[in-house]
Amino acid sequence: RPFVTIGRVAMTTRAMTMPEISSPEIDLQARALAKLREVFGYGAFRGAQAEIVGHVAAGGDALVLMPTGGGKSLCYQLPALLREGTGIVVSPLIALMQDQVAALTQLGVRAAFLNSTLDARAADAVERALVAGELDLLYVAPERLLTPRCLELLTRARIALLAIDEAHCVSQ
């Protein structure tokens, strides 16, 4: 499963060179651009987004550091839509989770969150949707992710990728 860490600093990515682009890579690039247009309404990627999205969608790991507003979220959202399963996004900011899920669902993306704002009934509905393969993206608070219940839940789901949104979620 690809692993993506997202932060808010000057952009830098590990070198991801492609000496020769093969047919499957060209197909993945075309699919990524088509999905970018179809879902998000953008005609082109910005900066290193295309390289990052292609790398992660192909199954690679990435550490992506970009300034606020640099398009970090797209670097895990789009690969999650291109891969089989659900993208799990670890985010400590409940308001950001809610905003992201609201924006994504307006775009037709099957997104949800699991955090302390949900009552037991709503959380159960999200968990059932995850296991049934009915979610493209699931945002989870770090403290919930590490509970035995959530870890067991993830073993029953098909995971497309794991993204940590906000680098301060990563601790030694």
Side-chain angles (χ1 to χ4, degrees):
R1 295 178 190 137
F3 181 80
V4 183
T5 302
I6 306 295
R8 292 179 190 254
V9 259
M11 183 179 159
T12 136
T13 61
R14 109 174 111 121
M16 296 177 264
T17 58
M18 291 184 246
E20 291 185 24
I21 299 176
S22 67
S23 182
E25 290 168 332
I26 291 171
D27 180 53
L28 182 58
Q29 290 174 352
R31 287 180 41 232
L33 188 55
K35 187 68 76 172
L36 178 71
R37 289 181 178 135
E38 171 193 331
V39 175
F40 297 96
Y42 299 126
F45 290 101
R46 292 188 303 171
Q49 283 179 327
E51 184 179 15
I52 296 164
V53 167
H55 181 76
V56 174
D61 294 339
L63 171 62
V64 179
L65 302 172
M66 291 181 174
T68 299
K72 296 177 300 290
S73 298
L74 189 70
C75 292
Y76 60 79
Q77 291 170 342
L78 194 51
L81 297 176
L82 293 168
R83 294 178 55 86
E84 292 293 321
T86 303
I88 305 298
V89 182
V90 181
S91 175
L93 308 171
I94 290 175
L96 179 63
M97 264 191 233
Q98 292 169 324
D99 290 348
Q100 293 253 352
V101 167
L104 288 165
T105 55
Q106 272 192 322
L107 295 172
V109 176
R110 302 172 307 162
F113 56 80
L114 279 174
N115 62 39
S116 59
T117 66
L118 298 179
D119 62 25
R121 181 186 224 158
D124 285 344
V126 170
E127 291 175 5
R128 282 192 306 277
L130 173 66
V131 172
E134 297 169 355
L135 294 176
D136 298 313
L137 286 155
L138 176 64
Y139 288 75
V140 180
E143 60 276 6
R144 182 172 296 246
L145 176 70
L146 297 177
T147 64
R149 178 183 173 101
C150 188
L151 292 171
E152 190 278 326
L153 172 68
L154 294 179
T155 66
R156 295 186 286 131
R158 181 167 179 136
I159 307 300
L161 59 81
L162 174 67
I164 298 177
D165 192 352
E166 300 300 330
H168 64 269
C169 285
V170 180
S171 66
Q172 196 170 8

mmCIF file of all heavy atoms in Angstrom, residues 54-84:
data_model
loop_
_atom_site.group_PDB
_atom_site.id
_atom_site.type_symbol
_atom_site.label_atom_id
_atom_site.label_comp_id
_atom_site.label_asym_id
_atom_site.label_seq_id
_atom_site.Cartn_x
_atom_site.Cartn_y
_atom_site.Cartn_z
ATOM 1 N N GLY A 54 1.296 10.422 -10.172
ATOM 2 C CA GLY A 54 1.654 9.231 -10.951
ATOM 3 C C GLY A 54 2.429 8.227 -10.127
ATOM 4 O O GLY A 54 2.160 7.023 -10.180
ATOM 5 N N HIS A 55 3.371 8.715 -9.341
ATOM 6 C CA HIS A 55 4.201 7.841 -8.509
ATOM 7 C C HIS A 55 3.360 7.115 -7.459
ATOM 8 O O HIS A 55 3.478 5.904 -7.290
ATOM 9 C CB HIS A 55 5.300 8.680 -7.843
ATOM 10 C CG HIS A 55 6.238 7.900 -6.991
ATOM 11 N ND1 HIS A 55 7.226 7.099 -7.516
ATOM 12 C CD2 HIS A 55 6.332 7.795 -5.647
ATOM 13 C CE1 HIS A 55 7.893 6.535 -6.528
ATOM 14 N NE2 HIS A 55 7.381 6.940 -5.384
ATOM 15 N N VAL A 56 2.506 7.846 -6.760
ATOM 16 C CA VAL A 56 1.672 7.248 -5.709
ATOM 17 C C VAL A 56 0.601 6.344 -6.315
ATOM 18 O O VAL A 56 0.351 5.244 -5.818
ATOM 19 C CB VAL A 56 1.047 8.338 -4.807
ATOM 20 C CG1 VAL A 56 0.071 7.734 -3.811
ATOM 21 C CG2 VAL A 56 2.149 9.100 -4.062
ATOM 22 N N ALA A 57 -0.017 6.774 -7.405
ATOM 23 C CA ALA A 57 -1.047 5.949 -8.047
ATOM 24 C C ALA A 57 -0.470 4.627 -8.544
ATOM 25 O O ALA A 57 -1.170 3.609 -8.554
ATOM 26 C CB ALA A 57 -1.698 6.707 -9.205
ATOM 27 N N ALA A 58 0.814 4.633 -8.903
ATOM 28 C CA ALA A 58 1.473 3.412 -9.374
ATOM 29 C C ALA A 58 1.922 2.522 -8.210
ATOM 30 O O ALA A 58 2.457 1.447 -8.437
ATOM 31 C CB ALA A 58 2.668 3.766 -10.253
ATOM 32 N N GLY A 59 1.694 2.980 -6.976
ATOM 33 C CA GLY A 59 2.039 2.161 -5.813
ATOM 34 C C GLY A 59 3.259 2.617 -5.053
ATOM 35 O O GLY A 59 3.672 1.957 -4.095
ATOM 36 N N GLY A 60 3.846 3.738 -5.440
ATOM 37 C CA GLY A 60 5.039 4.241 -4.766
ATOM 38 C C GLY A 60 4.725 4.999 -3.490
ATOM 39 O O GLY A 60 3.608 5.467 -3.283
ATOM 40 N N ASP A 61 5.726 5.099 -2.642
ATOM 41 C CA ASP A 61 5.635 5.886 -1.418
ATOM 42 C C ASP A 61 6.143 7.292 -1.702
ATOM 43 O O ASP A 61 6.984 7.485 -2.584
ATOM 44 C CB ASP A 61 6.501 5.278 -0.312
ATOM 45 C CG ASP A 61 6.004 3.915 0.143
ATOM 46 O OD1 ASP A 61 4.818 3.613 -0.076
ATOM 47 O OD2 ASP A 61 6.804 3.162 0.720
ATOM 48 N N ALA A 62 5.668 8.271 -0.938
ATOM 49 C CA ALA A 62 6.120 9.645 -1.151
ATOM 50 C C ALA A 62 6.042 10.436 0.144
ATOM 51 O O ALA A 62 5.134 10.236 0.949
ATOM 52 C CB ALA A 62 5.258 10.322 -2.210
ATOM 53 N N LEU A 63 6.985 11.322 0.311
ATOM 54 C CA LEU A 63 6.944 12.343 1.351
ATOM 55 C C LEU A 63 6.826 13.652 0.594
ATOM 56 O O LEU A 63 7.732 14.024 -0.161
ATOM 57 C CB LEU A 63 8.219 12.319 2.200
ATOM 58 C CG LEU A 63 8.375 13.480 3.188
ATOM 59 C CD1 LEU A 63 7.235 13.466 4.208
ATOM 60 C CD2 LEU A 63 9.721 13.407 3.878
ATOM 61 N N VAL A 64 5.707 14.335 0.754
ATOM 62 C CA VAL A 64 5.414 15.532 -0.018
ATOM 63 C C VAL A 64 5.300 16.714 0.925
ATOM 64 O O VAL A 64 4.456 16.713 1.822
ATOM 65 C CB VAL A 64 4.096 15.362 -0.810
ATOM 66 C CG1 VAL A 64 3.786 16.627 -1.607
ATOM 67 C CG2 VAL A 64 4.174 14.152 -1.717
ATOM 68 N N LEU A 65 6.152 17.699 0.714
ATOM 69 C CA LEU A 65 6.124 18.908 1.528
ATOM 70 C C LEU A 65 5.843 20.080 0.605
ATOM 71 O O LEU A 65 6.601 20.340 -0.324
ATOM 72 C CB LEU A 65 7.464 19.097 2.235
ATOM 73 C CG LEU A 65 7.898 17.943 3.134
ATOM 74 C CD1 LEU A 65 9.318 18.152 3.621
ATOM 75 C CD2 LEU A 65 6.941 17.774 4.289
ATOM 76 N N MET A 66 4.731 20.773 0.886
ATOM 77 C CA MET A 66 4.338 21.904 0.045
ATOM 78 C C MET A 66 3.824 23.021 0.939
ATOM 79 O O MET A 66 3.336 22.768 2.048
ATOM 80 C CB MET A 66 3.219 21.510 -0.915
ATOM 81 C CG MET A 66 3.604 20.558 -1.991
ATOM 82 S SD MET A 66 2.148 20.242 -3.039
ATOM 83 C CE MET A 66 2.880 19.261 -4.316
ATOM 84 N N PRO A 67 3.857 24.250 0.443
ATOM 85 C CA PRO A 67 3.288 25.354 1.218
ATOM 86 C C PRO A 67 1.764 25.261 1.255
ATOM 87 O O PRO A 67 1.156 24.566 0.433
ATOM 88 C CB PRO A 67 3.739 26.589 0.433
ATOM 89 C CG PRO A 67 3.949 26.098 -0.958
ATOM 90 C CD PRO A 67 4.410 24.666 -0.823
ATOM 91 N N THR A 68 1.167 25.951 2.193
ATOM 92 C CA THR A 68 -0.284 26.015 2.274
ATOM 93 C C THR A 68 -0.822 26.507 0.934
ATOM 94 O O THR A 68 -0.304 27.454 0.355
ATOM 95 C CB THR A 68 -0.707 26.988 3.398
ATOM 96 O OG1 THR A 68 -0.197 26.479 4.628
ATOM 97 C CG2 THR A 68 -2.219 27.108 3.494
ATOM 98 N N GLY A 69 -1.840 25.801 0.427
ATOM 99 C CA GLY A 69 -2.426 26.165 -0.855
ATOM 100 C C GLY A 69 -1.668 25.617 -2.049
ATOM 101 O O GLY A 69 -2.002 25.922 -3.188
ATOM 102 N N GLY A 70 -0.672 24.765 -1.805
ATOM 103 C CA GLY A 70 0.151 24.238 -2.890
ATOM 104 C C GLY A 70 -0.440 23.035 -3.601
ATOM 105 O O GLY A 70 0.142 22.535 -4.553
ATOM 106 N N GLY A 71 -1.582 22.540 -3.132
ATOM 107 C CA GLY A 71 -2.217 21.403 -3.787
ATOM 108 C C GLY A 71 -1.815 20.050 -3.228
ATOM 109 O O GLY A 71 -1.831 19.040 -3.938
ATOM 110 N N LYS A 72 -1.484 20.026 -1.937
ATOM 111 C CA LYS A 72 -1.055 18.772 -1.303
ATOM 112 C C LYS A 72 -2.157 17.729 -1.292
ATOM 113 O O LYS A 72 -1.897 16.561 -1.589
ATOM 114 C CB LYS A 72 -0.630 19.032 0.154
ATOM 115 C CG LYS A 72 0.560 19.931 0.320
ATOM 116 C CD LYS A 72 0.873 20.183 1.790
ATOM 117 C CE LYS A 72 -0.220 20.831 2.583
ATOM 118 N NZ LYS A 72 -0.504 22.218 2.280
ATOM 119 N N SER A 73 -3.362 18.115 -0.951
ATOM 120 C CA SER A 73 -4.455 17.151 -0.808
ATOM 121 C C SER A 73 -4.689 16.367 -2.091
ATOM 122 O O SER A 73 -4.958 15.171 -2.059
ATOM 123 C CB SER A 73 -5.749 17.852 -0.388
ATOM 124 O OG SER A 73 -5.575 18.474 0.860
ATOM 125 N N LEU A 74 -4.572 17.029 -3.204
ATOM 126 C CA LEU A 74 -4.763 16.374 -4.496
ATOM 127 C C LEU A 74 -3.750 15.246 -4.701
ATOM 128 O O LEU A 74 -4.041 14.258 -5.366
ATOM 129 C CB LEU A 74 -4.633 17.400 -5.624
ATOM 130 C CG LEU A 74 -5.013 16.909 -6.996
ATOM 131 C CD1 LEU A 74 -6.526 16.696 -7.068
ATOM 132 C CD2 LEU A 74 -4.581 17.909 -8.038
ATOM 133 N N CYS A 75 -2.582 15.377 -4.062
ATOM 134 C CA CYS A 75 -1.512 14.383 -4.222
ATOM 135 C C CYS A 75 -1.841 13.046 -3.575
ATOM 136 O O CYS A 75 -1.193 12.050 -3.866
ATOM 137 C CB CYS A 75 -0.195 14.931 -3.674
ATOM 138 S SG CYS A 75 0.460 16.301 -4.657
ATOM 139 N N TYR A 76 -2.851 13.000 -2.701
ATOM 140 C CA TYR A 76 -3.328 11.705 -2.191
ATOM 141 C C TYR A 76 -4.764 11.436 -2.613
ATOM 142 O O TYR A 76 -5.151 10.301 -2.792
ATOM 143 C CB TYR A 76 -3.174 11.567 -0.670
ATOM 144 C CG TYR A 76 -3.903 12.582 0.174
ATOM 145 C CD1 TYR A 76 -5.260 12.467 0.416
ATOM 146 C CD2 TYR A 76 -3.236 13.645 0.751
ATOM 147 C CE1 TYR A 76 -5.940 13.390 1.193
ATOM 148 C CE2 TYR A 76 -3.897 14.568 1.535
ATOM 149 C CZ TYR A 76 -5.249 14.439 1.754
ATOM 150 O OH TYR A 76 -5.908 15.355 2.527
ATOM 151 N N GLN A 77 -5.566 12.483 -2.796
ATOM 152 C CA GLN A 77 -6.961 12.264 -3.181
ATOM 153 C C GLN A 77 -7.065 11.621 -4.560
ATOM 154 O O GLN A 77 -7.805 10.651 -4.740
ATOM 155 C CB GLN A 77 -7.735 13.590 -3.155
ATOM 156 C CG GLN A 77 -7.928 14.138 -1.767
ATOM 157 C CD GLN A 77 -8.472 15.561 -1.771
ATOM 158 O OE1 GLN A 77 -8.412 16.281 -2.771
ATOM 159 N NE2 GLN A 77 -8.990 15.970 -0.620
ATOM 160 N N LEU A 78 -6.341 12.152 -5.523
ATOM 161 C CA LEU A 78 -6.425 11.628 -6.882
ATOM 162 C C LEU A 78 -5.891 10.192 -6.980
ATOM 163 O O LEU A 78 -6.568 9.336 -7.567
ATOM 164 C CB LEU A 78 -5.712 12.574 -7.851
ATOM 165 C CG LEU A 78 -5.968 12.358 -9.329
ATOM 166 C CD1 LEU A 78 -7.449 12.286 -9.663
ATOM 167 C CD2 LEU A 78 -5.317 13.475 -10.130
ATOM 168 N N PRO A 79 -4.729 9.876 -6.397
ATOM 169 C CA PRO A 79 -4.299 8.467 -6.435
ATOM 170 C C PRO A 79 -5.308 7.526 -5.758
ATOM 171 O O PRO A 79 -5.502 6.404 -6.224
ATOM 172 C CB PRO A 79 -2.965 8.475 -5.687
ATOM 173 C CG PRO A 79 -2.437 9.847 -5.894
ATOM 174 C CD PRO A 79 -3.660 10.733 -5.866
ATOM 175 N N ALA A 80 -5.953 7.980 -4.699
ATOM 176 C CA ALA A 80 -6.964 7.140 -4.045
ATOM 177 C C ALA A 80 -8.107 6.840 -4.998
ATOM 178 O O ALA A 80 -8.661 5.737 -4.992
ATOM 179 C CB ALA A 80 -7.483 7.813 -2.771
ATOM 180 N N LEU A 81 -8.460 7.803 -5.838
ATOM 181 C CA LEU A 81 -9.534 7.594 -6.807
ATOM 182 C C LEU A 81 -9.093 6.709 -7.967
ATOM 183 O O LEU A 81 -9.926 6.074 -8.609
ATOM 184 C CB LEU A 81 -10.030 8.945 -7.344
ATOM 185 C CG LEU A 81 -10.662 9.884 -6.318
ATOM 186 C CD1 LEU A 81 -11.007 11.223 -6.961
ATOM 187 C CD2 LEU A 81 -11.876 9.253 -5.672
ATOM 188 N N LEU A 82 -7.815 6.666 -8.229
ATOM 189 C CA LEU A 82 -7.286 5.862 -9.335
ATOM 190 C C LEU A 82 -6.998 4.418 -8.931
ATOM 191 O O LEU A 82 -6.862 3.557 -9.789
ATOM 192 C CB LEU A 82 -5.996 6.496 -9.882
ATOM 193 C CG LEU A 82 -6.179 7.841 -10.580
ATOM 194 C CD1 LEU A 82 -4.829 8.504 -10.819
ATOM 195 C CD2 LEU A 82 -6.936 7.675 -11.886
ATOM 196 N N ARG A 83 -6.880 4.157 -7.642
ATOM 197 C CA ARG A 83 -6.542 2.822 -7.147
ATOM 198 C C ARG A 83 -7.791 2.119 -6.612
ATOM 199 O O ARG A 83 -8.773 2.755 -6.267
ATOM 200 C CB ARG A 83 -5.494 2.925 -6.033
ATOM 201 C CG ARG A 83 -4.152 3.459 -6.539
ATOM 202 C CD ARG A 83 -3.139 3.613 -5.426
ATOM 203 N NE ARG A 83 -2.949 2.377 -4.699
ATOM 204 C CZ ARG A 83 -2.103 1.413 -5.048
ATOM 205 N NH1 ARG A 83 -1.377 1.550 -6.133
ATOM 206 N NH2 ARG A 83 -1.984 0.330 -4.316
ATOM 207 N N GLU A 84 -7.732 0.814 -6.543
ATOM 208 C CA GLU A 84 -8.831 0.026 -5.968
ATOM 209 C C GLU A 84 -8.824 0.204 -4.455
ATOM 210 O O GLU A 84 -7.765 0.201 -3.842
ATOM 211 C CB GLU A 84 -8.647 -1.453 -6.297
ATOM 212 C CG GLU A 84 -8.809 -1.784 -7.768
ATOM 213 C CD GLU A 84 -10.237 -1.590 -8.258
ATOM 214 O OE1 GLU A 84 -11.181 -1.917 -7.512
ATOM 215 O OE2 GLU A 84 -10.393 -1.105 -9.385
#
